[in-house]
Amino acid sequence: MSEPSTPLMRQYAAVKKEHPNALLFFRLGDFYELFFDDAVLAARELQITLTSRNKEKGMAIPMCGVPYHAAEGYIAKLIRRGFKVAVCEQVEDPRLAKKLVKREVTRVVTPGTAADSSLNPEENNFLAAVATVGDHVGFAALDLSTGEFRATEFAGEQAGRRIQEELEQLRPREMLYGSSAPLLERRHERETATLTHPRAQANASASTAPVARISSSGWAETPLDDWIFAPDHAIPLLENHFGVLSLEGFGLAGKQAAASAAGAILYYIRSTQRGTLDHVDRIGFYERQNCLVLDAVTVRNLELIEPLFSGTEHGVTLFRCLDATVTPMGKRLLRMWILRPTLDRAEIEGRLDAVEIQVKDTVRREELRRALDGILDLERLLSRVTLETANPRDVLALAASLAKLPHVRAVLAGLSEQQAAASRLSVLHMAIDELGDLRENIDITLVSEPPLTLSDGGVIAPGIDKDLDELRDLSRNSKQYLAQVETRERERTGIGSLKVKFNSIFGYYIEISKANLQHAPTDYERKQTLVNAERFTTPELKEYESKILDAQEKIVEIERRLFAELRSAIAAEAKRIRQTALALAEVDALGCLAHIAALRHYCRPKFERTFDEAEKTADFADLEIVEGRHPVIELQELAAGSERFVPNDLFLNASTHNIVVLTGPNMGGKSTYLRQAALIVIMAQMGSFVPARAVRLGIVDRVFTRIGASDNVARGRSTFMVEMTETAAILHTATARSLILLDEVGRGTSTYDGLAIAWAAVEYLHARVHAKTLFATHYFELTELAEQLAGVKNYHVSVKETGGSVVFLRRVEPGAADRSYGIEVAKLAGLPNEVVVRAREVLAEHESSERRLSSHLTPGAEPERPTQLTIFTPLSQPVLEKLREVDLNRLTPLEALNLLAELKKEI
């Protein structure tokens, strides 16, 4: 950037120097302008025209701009791409400025601090921070747009991995960390990329180029000075904000790492935003063990929030399947319940009770949903009020939503009467504040249809301020006054065509045609000469002009003051509004679950009371599902008008049915069976009814999945490496209260290696972990484990052979599949008939070869054993022991044949 030559550009340079890493939106009249490298980058990203300034002076300055009234949309687009935007406003009236208009940055918008209306109403917009204090790593996250604030911390060798899991599940838009943090710095180098337009990189210095560093997981990363994360700075900041002497009431006593991360977020927010932050009125410390843990792999594999294959028939997710909420707050809460099902039995039963009451009372349930419909996003409207970005229409929208609360409470009262006073619906009924005083204040203060901005005037209703009303009368009666002046001057001069007019350049004036100039009085002062007329002014018009212009300025000034007072009054009640918004969100989410349960004939799950809270012993309750269905696939089939979903049973316990080995052909429904078991558990623990005839279960602490895999070439990890990494995490982390879904473990390597790994994994799970496990496989050799391990049982998905083809019955039945039907499935997929015929020939040759290898051994030579059987040689000892124990002299011929068959099968 060359040295600026004009006062305006020197002002710009001074502001830009304070915000070198942000795109500077510099207000000039009705536009926000960007200059130099900011302009080059913004023109590219926003697809707007790049022009230049001072070209005639030989110093062309790149420049682009956007209209001020449409700026939020452009800013939102830049924020979504990871950029920071500093908004520089004119902080004085240009008409009153003697020289250069005073300007200053009023807010800095970053990916994690956005709170505008363009945010996705279904998702939180989290700003996260990570802080290290000793051997503890703290994690905090704040959604500035709703006020949701949470923190936790970890210690030990697994802290880094757990922080990464939190980030992957929460998916913040921006993450803050200490600039010298070694753990994050290494990951930063691996996973981040720079989003800067090539021309901007070529023209800008490293200190001034606006850079957005986006991690491979999708969040922007912002390093801050280490002192910002220091406990002696961050903790007092939190205490002062919440007005407390200690953080014990928020569960943060002794949690210095978590509190430091939260304090760093608060510091960052205050340094980038204006406003009071009154809506950020609480922070919650949470433990991972308080909810059913779902890592990013499981969330993706089960398609809880996003489909694995976007834009395909598989595009429906559990969230989409269950979402019948009618408010934005309810949508976000439902999403959070899906991602973080609770482990608190009392909480689960409380939600289930509330759902059951509404399932039984169809009329009140649907009336309540209609009452909620139309309530806007109270949390985000409140945040814009406290951040001082709310416009008059935002405030009026808040009042319109509050007007619906009395009806909501009335209907809810009818439902809550059917439960005890301490029931969930009764508590929610009491938590909803009708906020009638606030709504009345808004309705009285604002006109019914205010303009979008205060500068347009006409926002405050009549009767609120005496001075404002008088000034409006003066302004409103100006036309009548000018008509009186015009009539009087015509009579005085005798000029019938004399006119009194106004324009923005010359103000008020008297216009006389050339033909009548000789009749102009001597006290008229010439103002402008036209071709056919002359324009004059008088002392009276000058005085009136000054009065009118002052009135307009004072009107806008008074309206700004009154609106700011109204906004402050609303912000002062932030706690009441936020409490009501949280209660409405839960009412909406519970009503949604009840609506879906009634519509799709879901049942209430029953939780076993086997967990000893006093002894903290493991929960070994059975998992029994009778006629379970996959909620998403069932919905898809109904929408497509296809055949009814085939339900299946499942039984798992801690002893005889600890592990189910599931065999059967591809497309037979193995993966669907695995996933529906996990989805039913997740739905049950989030407090929802479930798609089944009956379900009985205990509290599950974590759901693991190893379903499918994909190469990660960027990190040099093959399909098999990804598969083994995920499997290792399961074997190391799962407990007896976990549910594990394993689909085709070992298929990423050679047949024999894969079989060996799968076999050993099942043995390990059976002997060491004791978690309830569903293991789908094509390795039929694994079915032999059911005869060797007491807790392993074989099941298969059944098929029916008809005339050389197969029909998938999609029923899960006891016992192992007799073969894989791979060639039949390939035929259904449309392989050329020649390929199918040849495949059958090759298969027959291989099967014949194996039989010859088993029955025709070379005399006198050491028999060559099939490679895949080498992993079973340690298991031959039981066969020898049985032979030693048998008294051959007492065996009947039939018993001998049965023993031989049993030993052969065991070998």
Side-chain angles (χ1 to χ4, degrees):
M1 182 189 299
S2 59
E3 188 67 27
S5 58
T6 66
L8 178 69
M9 296 313 297
R10 284 196 291 270
Q11 183 187 52
Y12 169 84
V15 176
K16 178 64 180 176
K17 188 175 182 180
E18 295 176 0
H19 302 276
N21 296 320
L23 292 166
L24 182 59
F25 272 47
F26 193 73
R27 181 72 178 269
L28 281 177
D30 290 339
F31 281 80
Y32 286 107
E33 303 289 358
L34 297 95
F35 299 102
F36 299 102
D37 301 314
D38 285 10
V40 175
L41 193 153
R44 169 62 183 266
E45 296 294 331
L46 299 175
Q47 294 295 294
I48 58 179
T49 303
L50 180 68
T51 61
S52 62
R53 181 187 178 95
N54 291 351
K55 187 185 297 183
E56 68 282 356
K57 298 180 181 179
M59 295 175 55
I61 298 173
M63 170 183 171
C64 68
V66 299
Y68 82 95
H69 58 80
E72 289 301 329
Y74 290 103
I75 292 173
K77 188 173 182 180
L78 291 168
I79 295 306
R80 283 195 296 270
R81 299 189 180 190
F83 295 99
K84 297 180 181 179
V85 174
V87 181
C88 183
E89 297 284 5
Q90 296 173 168
V91 293
E92 66 175 335
D93 192 327
R95 294 174 295 183
L96 302 178
K98 295 179 180 179
K99 292 183 180 179
L100 190 64
V101 177
K102 185 179 178 182
R103 294 176 175 86
E104 62 182 43
V105 172
T106 57
R107 60 187 173 120
V108 178
V109 189
T110 72
T113 61
D116 58 272
S117 58
S118 66
L119 294 176
N120 185 343
E122 297 179 358
E123 298 180 17
N124 286 100
N125 194 78
F126 281 116
L127 169 67
V130 176
T132 303
V133 178
D135 62 346
H136 286 69
V137 182
F139 175 82
L142 167 66
D143 183 349
L144 185 63
S145 70
T146 66
E148 184 178 344
F149 204 0
R150 61 174 72 166
T152 189
E153 68 177 40
F154 307 100
E157 296 178 358
Q158 298 297 316
R161 183 178 61 81
R162 290 182 174 179
I163 290 291
Q164 188 66 25
E165 287 179 353
E166 288 296 305
L167 286 166
E168 289 175 351
Q169 188 192 73
L170 207 63
R171 291 171 58 188
R173 296 299 307 278
E174 184 177 2
M175 187 188 72
L176 312 175
Y177 63 98
S179 54
S180 66
L183 174 86
L184 293 170
E185 208 166 67
R186 288 196 297 270
R187 185 172 59 80
H188 189 85
E189 291 170 0
R190 289 197 309 269
E191 297 185 354
T192 60
T194 299
L195 288 182
T196 307
H197 185 245
R199 286 170 61 186
Q201 285 182 320
N203 298 331
S205 65
S207 62
T208 60
V211 172
R213 306 193 74 173
I214 303 294
S215 76
S216 61
S217 298
W219 54 77
E221 297 188 338
T222 303
L224 301 177
D225 291 339
D226 291 332
W227 62 266
I228 295 171
F229 296 85
D232 58 355
H233 170 264
I235 293 176
L237 200 63
L238 276 181
E239 292 171 342
N240 291 336
H241 175 76
F242 293 117
V244 295
L245 296 176
S246 79
L247 299 174
E248 184 175 357
F250 299 105
L252 285 169
K255 309 292 185 182
Q256 286 198 328
S260 295
I265 287 178
L266 197 58
Y267 170 85
Y268 185 69
I269 292 293
R270 287 188 169 176
S271 66
T272 58
Q273 307 297 305
R274 66 183 183 185
T276 62
L277 300 183
D278 285 340
H279 69 296
V280 184
D281 60 357
R282 71 194 75 180
I283 183 172
F285 181 81
Y286 68 97
E287 302 273 7
R288 279 173 63 85
Q289 57 264 34
N290 291 340
C291 67
L292 190 162
V293 179
L294 300 167
D295 58 32
V297 172
T298 298
V299 170
R300 182 180 67 249
N301 285 339
L302 295 179
E303 298 184 291
L304 298 183
I305 303 298
E306 294 180 349
L308 281 172
F309 310 103
S310 298
T312 70
E313 62 180 356
H314 302 287
V316 181
T317 63
L318 181 64
F319 175 62
R320 294 288 172 217
C321 172
L322 298 182
D323 181 25
T325 55
V326 292
T327 70
M329 299 92 72
K331 286 184 188 297
R332 290 193 294 271
L333 183 61
L334 179 67
R335 190 176 189 272
M336 188 186 76
W337 281 358
I338 291 174
L339 290 174
R340 302 179 71 85
T342 182
L343 299 184
D344 186 335
R345 177 185 166 82
E347 174 71 16
I348 296 170
E349 296 292 358
R351 293 179 191 174
L352 289 172
D353 288 343
V355 171
E356 185 173 16
I357 287 292
Q358 294 185 77
V359 167
K360 293 177 178 177
D361 195 336
T362 304
V363 174
R364 281 200 178 99
R365 179 188 75 232
E366 294 307 314
E367 186 180 355
L368 179 59
R369 285 167 49 77
R370 285 194 297 272
L372 288 167
D373 194 14
I375 293 180
L376 302 181
D377 201 331
L378 295 183
E379 290 179 319
R380 287 185 170 164
L381 286 172
L382 175 62
S383 74
R384 294 206 285 278
V385 168
T386 63
L387 293 170
E388 299 179 5
T389 60
N391 61 45
R393 293 182 185 177
D394 289 334
V395 175
L396 212 60
L398 176 63
S401 295
L402 298 183
K404 294 180 173 290
L405 298 185
H407 186 201
V408 172
R409 289 196 81 238
V411 181
L412 194 57
L415 283 167
S416 60
E417 287 174 359
Q418 303 175 44
Q419 291 187 305
S423 70
R424 178 55 56 88
L425 291 179
S426 298
V427 169
L428 292 172
H429 174 257
M430 295 299 296
I432 296 175
D433 187 336
E434 293 185 11
L435 296 157
D437 54 335
L438 196 61
R439 184 183 73 250
E440 184 179 357
N441 188 16
I442 296 171
D443 289 339
I444 290 174
T445 304
L446 300 182
V447 298
S448 58
E449 295 184 6
L452 186 61
T453 64
L454 288 168
S455 58
D456 294 331
V459 171
I460 305 299
I464 299 300
D465 186 274
K466 182 180 178 181
D467 293 338
L468 178 62
D469 290 343
E470 290 177 356
L471 290 167
R472 281 176 173 169
D473 286 339
L474 178 63
S475 179
R476 193 178 300 116
N477 295 329
S478 62
K479 289 184 179 180
Q480 182 181 349
Y481 174 79
L482 293 176
Q484 292 174 356
V485 172
E486 186 177 84
T487 301
R488 188 178 69 239
E489 290 302 311
R490 283 180 179 179
E491 292 175 355
R492 175 189 169 197
T493 61
I495 304 171
S497 61
L498 181 147
K499 294 180 180 178
V500 178
K501 296 182 177 180
F502 173 85
N503 67 34
S504 58
I505 298 174
F506 295 105
Y508 291 98
Y509 58 85
I510 296 172
E511 186 174 285
I512 300 175
S513 64
K514 289 279 189 181
N516 293 306
L517 279 180
Q518 68 273 21
H519 301 298
T522 56
D523 59 341
Y524 279 18
E525 299 175 19
R526 185 172 276 104
K527 201 166 191 177
Q528 186 185 18
T529 301
L530 303 177
V531 175
N532 297 315
E534 289 281 344
R535 289 175 175 175
F536 300 88
T537 186
T538 67
E540 180 186 12
L541 282 179
K542 283 182 180 179
E543 182 182 352
Y544 191 77
E545 178 181 327
S546 176
K547 198 174 182 180
I548 290 294
L549 292 179
D550 286 347
Q552 291 294 337
E553 292 169 6
K554 287 178 181 176
I555 286 172
V556 173
E557 181 183 331
I558 292 172
E559 289 205 351
R560 286 184 187 278
R561 173 176 58 79
L562 293 174
F563 184 72
E565 290 174 0
L566 175 63
R567 208 159 49 187
S568 296
I570 298 171
E573 303 299 336
K575 191 169 185 178
R576 293 171 63 196
I577 299 172
R578 188 156 146 66
Q579 173 185 293
T580 296
L582 292 172
L584 288 171
E586 190 165 348
V587 169
D588 188 17
L590 292 170
C592 156
L593 294 178
H595 174 78
I596 293 296
L599 185 67
R600 298 178 192 158
H601 307 292
Y602 290 177
C603 75
R604 175 170 180 162
K606 294 181 179 179
F607 283 86
E608 299 273 284
R609 295 180 179 273
T610 59
F611 183 63
D612 191 331
E613 288 287 352
E615 299 295 330
K616 298 295 181 185
T617 54
D619 188 344
F620 293 111
D622 299 343
L623 170 58
E624 183 178 16
I625 299 173
V626 179
E627 295 183 11
R629 292 136 30 214
H630 192 297
V632 179
I633 295 178
E634 179 184 45
L635 181 63
Q636 288 177 308
E637 291 186 349
L638 284 172
S642 58
E643 72 274 8
R644 181 173 170 271
F645 185 90
V646 178
N648 278 297
D649 298 342
L650 171 65
F651 180 74
L652 291 169
N653 64 16
S655 53
T656 60
H657 288 70
N658 193 218
I659 300 173
V660 165
V661 175
L662 184 64
T663 51
N666 285 324
M667 294 177 61
K670 298 195 301 296
S671 294
T672 297
Y673 184 70
L674 265 61
R675 287 185 169 95
Q676 80 182 36
L679 294 179
I680 286 173
V681 168
I682 290 169
M683 289 174 64
Q685 287 190 217
M686 62 179 274
S688 171
F689 280 29
V690 296
R693 186 161 65 84
V695 171
R696 182 170 58 88
L697 73 162
I699 300 293
V700 174
D701 65 356
R702 187 158 184 168
V703 173
F704 293 93
T705 63
R706 162 86 282 288
I707 301 174
S710 59
D711 289 342
N712 193 330
V713 179
R715 297 194 199 176
R717 299 171 70 194
S718 67
T719 298
F720 182 63
M721 186 61 181
V722 172
E723 181 182 353
M724 289 299 99
T725 301
E726 293 176 2
T727 303
I730 294 171
L731 298 180
H732 284 301
T733 314
T735 72
R737 298 174 64 199
S738 300
L739 174 65
I740 301 174
L741 312 180
L742 298 173
D743 192 0
E744 306 296 349
V745 167
R747 65 181 173 182
T749 185
S750 67
T751 301
Y752 303 130
D753 284 351
L755 176 58
I757 292 168
W759 184 285
V762 173
E763 287 186 331
Y764 184 89
L765 288 168
H766 184 271
R768 303 282 294 276
V769 180
H770 307 296
K772 297 177 179 65
T773 304
L774 293 174
F775 196 118
T777 183
H778 277 97
Y779 296 134
F780 290 97
E781 294 85 348
L782 292 181
T783 59
E784 298 179 21
L785 285 166
E787 300 178 16
Q788 301 176 25
L789 305 177
V792 177
K793 290 292 179 286
N794 287 326
Y795 280 80
H796 70 281
V797 287
S798 57
V799 298
K800 181 179 181 182
E801 296 186 65
T802 57
S805 63
V806 295
V807 176
F808 301 110
L809 301 179
R810 308 198 187 284
R811 288 209 171 274
V812 176
E813 299 175 344
D818 52 1
R819 59 193 183 94
S820 70
Y821 298 95
I823 294 176
E824 286 75 9
V825 172
K827 181 181 178 182
L828 290 176
L831 259 65
N833 187 59
E834 182 180 346
V835 174
V836 172
V837 171
R838 177 57 183 154
R840 287 197 174 108
E841 293 173 355
V842 173
L843 177 62
E845 290 175 6
H846 278 273
E847 289 175 343
S848 175
S849 176
E850 286 189 5
R851 283 193 294 271
R852 287 196 303 271
L853 187 64
S854 300
S855 58
H856 300 290
L857 299 177
T858 305
E862 182 70 18
E864 181 182 354
R865 298 178 181 177
T867 308
Q868 74 256 38
L869 296 182
T870 58
I871 66 168
F872 307 131
T873 52
L875 303 175
S876 60
Q877 189 64 29
V879 176
L880 297 176
E881 293 296 332
K882 281 188 178 181
L883 285 173
R884 290 193 184 100
E885 293 170 2
V886 171
D887 185 350
L888 298 178
N889 295 322
R890 296 191 175 187
L891 284 181
T892 65
L894 181 59
E895 288 173 336
L897 287 172
N898 288 336
L899 175 62
L900 182 61
E902 180 182 345
L903 294 178
K904 182 179 179 182
K905 187 174 183 181
E906 190 159 343
I907 291 172

